Amino acid sequence: MIYKCKNCGGDMVFEPSIGKMKCPFCDSTECEEVSTGSEIKDGDVATEETAQELGYSAAGNLLCPNCGCEIELGKFTSALRCPACDSNIIVDSRMKGEYKPEFMTPFKINEKSAKEMIKKKFDSLRFAPRDLVSEARLKKIQGWYMPTWFYDMDTTLDYYATGIQEKKETKGNTEYTYIDSFDVNRVMDAKFNRLPVDAADALPDEMMDLLAPFDTKESMPYDSRYMSGFYSEQYNQSADQLRPRAESQVENFGRSMCHDEAQSGSHGRYNRTENENLKVQYNDVSAHYGLMPVWKYDYTYKDQPYPFYINGQTGKIVGTAPVDPKRVWTFAAIVTLVAIAIGVGLSFMLDFNFLLPVVVGLIIGLIVGFTNMHPAAGKVTVNSATYVAPGDKKVKVSTDVYRGRETKTRQLNNN
Ligand SMILES: [Zn+2]
Ligand SMILES: [Zn+2]
C-alpha cells in the first residue's frame, strides 16, 4: 500500500515532528490509501493475471503501485522505498496474521534532527575522517522500524554466594587481616517487564542493549500510516528462537539485583562476594511483538562498515566512529615534540640528563596515540530498575550463615 496526497497526488510520509502524515510537496495532511492489492501470501502460487492484479509480477516480484516497476523484495522487507520512483510502499501481506505487530513506537525524531544530532556528536571528534558528518554522506541515513520482541518474564531468582568481610588491625609491628566468610542465600520473586530483544539481523545484537531503553508506555497500536517514509522488516526470528537472549538479560540483571540485596542482610555489608551462583526459575513468560524506531546511518571508511544508530524515540546515539590514523599520529607527534622541547629546555636550566625528557615525551606520545585509536561505541544505560519496578520484586529468603574466620599477618617495617 502507498499513501497519496489528496491535494497534489504526492507521496505522503509520516512526519515525526507533528506526529501526523504530511505531503512533503504541498504540506497537506490529507491522504488516501492506494492499495498494492497484495492479498496473496508469500509463497502462494498465482497465475500471471491474478498476480498482476494482486500487485506481483509473474516472477513473484512486487510491482510498485505507483510506477509499476518490479521490485525484488528482501526476504523480510515489509516497508521500503521504490528505487525507481521513491514512493514509500508498505507490504501489507507481510504485516498480517502472526506478523502483525501488537504495538509500535512512532518516530519522534525526524530525519533533519537525526542528522543534526549525528553532526553535533561527531563534529567534535578530533580524529574522525572529515567526511563522517558531511551532508553528502548523511544522505544515506534511513529510518527503520526494527522488529522487536518484548518479553514479560515472571521469575524466581535463587542466589548463592560467599560473602566476605575483611577487617585490618595493627598490633605493634604486625598487621592482622581478619577474613570472615558467610554463606549468602537470597531468593526473590521478580517480574521483568518488556525486556527488548531485536528480531532483525540488520541490527547487531549488542546494539539493542546500547540503544535501550525504549519507553513502551508511548507505544501505539500498529498503524501502517506511521510506516510511510520508513523501512521495516518482519521479525527474522520467532519469540521462541530469541528467548535465550532475553534469559541472558534476566540472568545479568538478576545477579546484580541479588548482589545488591546481599548487602542488606543480618550481618551487614560485604567487602566482596565470591562464587556467585544464580538459578532462575521462569514461572510465566509472554512475548509481545513491536516495532521500534531507529535511525540507521551506514558509514564506510576504507572498505570497513561503521554503522551508527539513533534511538528514534529518545535520540540516544550509538556506534563507533572510525579514526583516521594519520590525524591521530600527527597529533601524537606534535604532543611528543612539545613535551620533548619543554623537557629538554628544563634539562639545561635545571641541569639533568636531556635523554630523560626525550624518553618521557615519546611515552606520552605513544599513550596519546593508542588511546585515541580506539574510541568507544557507547554506554549501556539500562539496569535492572529499567525492567523491574520496585513493586515487582519481593524477597522471600534472606540468610547469611557464618562460616568462620581466616587470619593473615604481615610484618610492618616501622622506620
Ligand atoms: Zn501534496
Ligand atoms: Zn515506483
Side-chain angles (χ1 to χ4, degrees):
M1 163 204 303
I2 59 178
Y3 288 97
K4 291 272 191 195
C5 173
K6 269 191 178 168
N7 185 33
C8 75
D11 200 41
M12 303 281 282
V13 292
F14 176 73
E15 173 48 51
S17 60
I18 55 169
K20 272 189 196 160
M21 298 203 80
K22 187 175 148 188
C23 173
F25 307 99
C26 74
D27 287 348
S28 162
T29 53
E30 294 286 306
C31 67
E32 60 184 351
E33 296 172 18
V34 177
S35 178
T36 53
S38 51
E39 298 303 320
I40 49 165
K41 282 213 176 81
D42 297 323
D44 276 5
V45 188
T47 64
E48 196 161 337
E49 300 93 74
T50 57
Q52 283 204 0
E53 224 170 84
L54 292 168
Y56 284 87
S57 74
N61 290 330
L62 184 75
L63 294 172
C64 173
N66 185 49
C67 72
C69 80
E70 270 192 44
I71 303 169
E72 220 177 295
L73 268 189
K75 192 176 170 199
F76 300 108
T77 308
S78 55
L80 70 159
R81 193 163 286 165
C82 171
C85 73
D86 279 345
S87 291
N88 294 297
I89 305 168
I90 298 145
V91 189
D92 311 271
S93 63
R94 291 190 168 181
M95 298 299 232
K96 280 190 171 151
E98 58 171 323
Y99 288 108
K100 186 179 174 192
E102 203 174 304
F103 54 84
M104 66 191 297
T105 300
F107 275 86
K108 276 176 107 178
I109 288 163
N110 66 11
E111 183 171 334
K112 192 165 162 255
S113 322
K115 284 180 181 170
E116 276 163 10
M117 287 166 142
I118 287 199
K119 273 191 196 160
K120 200 171 157 211
K121 169 140 183 169
F122 294 107
D123 221 11
S124 57
L125 273 189
R126 193 194 293 268
F127 305 115
R130 286 172 207 275
D131 69 342
L132 176 65
V133 294
S134 72
E135 209 46 63
R137 288 291 201 120
L138 280 171
K139 265 191 196 141
K140 279 171 56 180
I141 198 167
Q142 290 180 336
W144 279 73
Y145 278 111
M146 289 292 172
T148 308
W149 285 110
F150 288 89
Y151 295 82
D152 289 342
M153 293 179 144
D154 188 338
T155 66
T156 303
L157 311 171
D158 192 356
Y159 168 93
Y160 290 92
T162 308
I164 308 283
Q165 287 178 344
E166 255 183 33
K167 271 191 283 275
K168 279 190 186 356
E169 195 180 52
T170 310
K171 282 181 198 159
N173 261 356
T174 312
E175 182 193 73
Y176 296 87
T177 306
Y178 306 112
I179 302 164
D180 292 320
S181 24
F182 297 81
D183 282 344
V184 179
N185 180 215
R186 294 290 181 276
V187 179
M188 67 165 95
D189 286 334
K191 270 187 203 159
F192 290 82
N193 192 32
R194 298 285 195 259
L195 268 178
V197 173
D198 84 270
D201 297 339
L203 185 69
D205 296 351
E206 70 278 8
M207 286 301 166
M208 191 49 144
D209 300 340
L210 292 169
L211 280 170
F214 287 95
D215 185 0
T216 49
K217 282 188 213 78
E218 288 186 352
S219 296
M220 312 276 196
Y222 169 73
D223 186 331
S224 57
R225 276 173 296 185
Y226 295 128
M227 308 282 290
S228 193
F230 301 99
Y231 291 77
S232 190
E233 287 192 353
Q234 299 174 313
Y235 58 82
N236 301 181
Q237 284 167 291
S238 70
D240 281 346
Q241 284 171 312
L242 291 177
R243 182 173 156 167
R245 273 175 48 202
E247 290 185 357
S248 84
Q249 293 191 63
V250 166
E251 277 160 34
N252 290 336
F253 292 136
R255 193 170 293 117
S256 84
M257 282 162 68
C258 291
H259 178 93
D260 292 348
E261 195 56 45
Q263 294 294 6
S264 59
S266 51
H267 289 79
R269 295 186 69 81
Y270 296 109
N271 296 94
R272 59 179 188 276
T273 49
E274 294 174 352
N275 313 315
E276 287 190 321
N277 187 353
L278 177 73
K279 285 194 201 95
V280 183
Q281 185 188 313
Y282 294 91
N283 307 319
D284 189 30
V285 174
S286 62
H288 306 271
Y289 179 36
L291 298 177
M292 293 300 114
V294 175
W295 286 104
K296 187 167 177 272
Y297 169 42
D298 284 312
Y299 178 78
T300 310
Y301 180 67
K302 296 193 171 162
D303 295 331
Q304 281 286 324
Y306 289 89
F308 293 90
Y309 303 91
I310 304 176
N311 182 322
Q313 185 186 25
T314 65
K316 186 178 181 192
I317 302 178
V318 301
T320 309
V323 292
D324 182 344
K326 256 190 261 161
R327 297 182 76 180
V328 172
W329 291 110
T330 306
F331 177 73
I334 293 168
V335 170
T336 308
L337 289 176
V338 170
I340 290 176
I342 294 172
V344 170
L346 286 175
S347 76
F348 286 116
M349 279 161 62
L350 303 175
D351 198 24
F352 59 88
N353 193 328
F354 72 91
L355 282 176
L356 182 71
V358 171
V359 172
V360 172
L362 284 172
I363 291 170
I364 292 172
L366 286 172
I367 292 171
V368 168
F370 280 109
T371 49
N372 282 297
M373 284 296 282
H374 303 284
K379 277 199 202 93
V380 174
T381 52
V382 292
N383 55 38
S384 60
T386 312
Y387 303 114
V388 183
D392 283 345
K393 62 180 172 190
K394 200 174 132 211
V395 180
K396 299 199 311 192
V397 176
S398 179
T399 58
D400 303 77
V401 180
Y402 185 53
R403 277 292 149 211
R405 166 170 288 188
E406 191 194 336
T407 307
K408 284 184 182 162
T409 58
R410 193 166 72 97
Q411 291 306 312
L412 301 171
N413 300 319
N414 274 352
N415 295 327

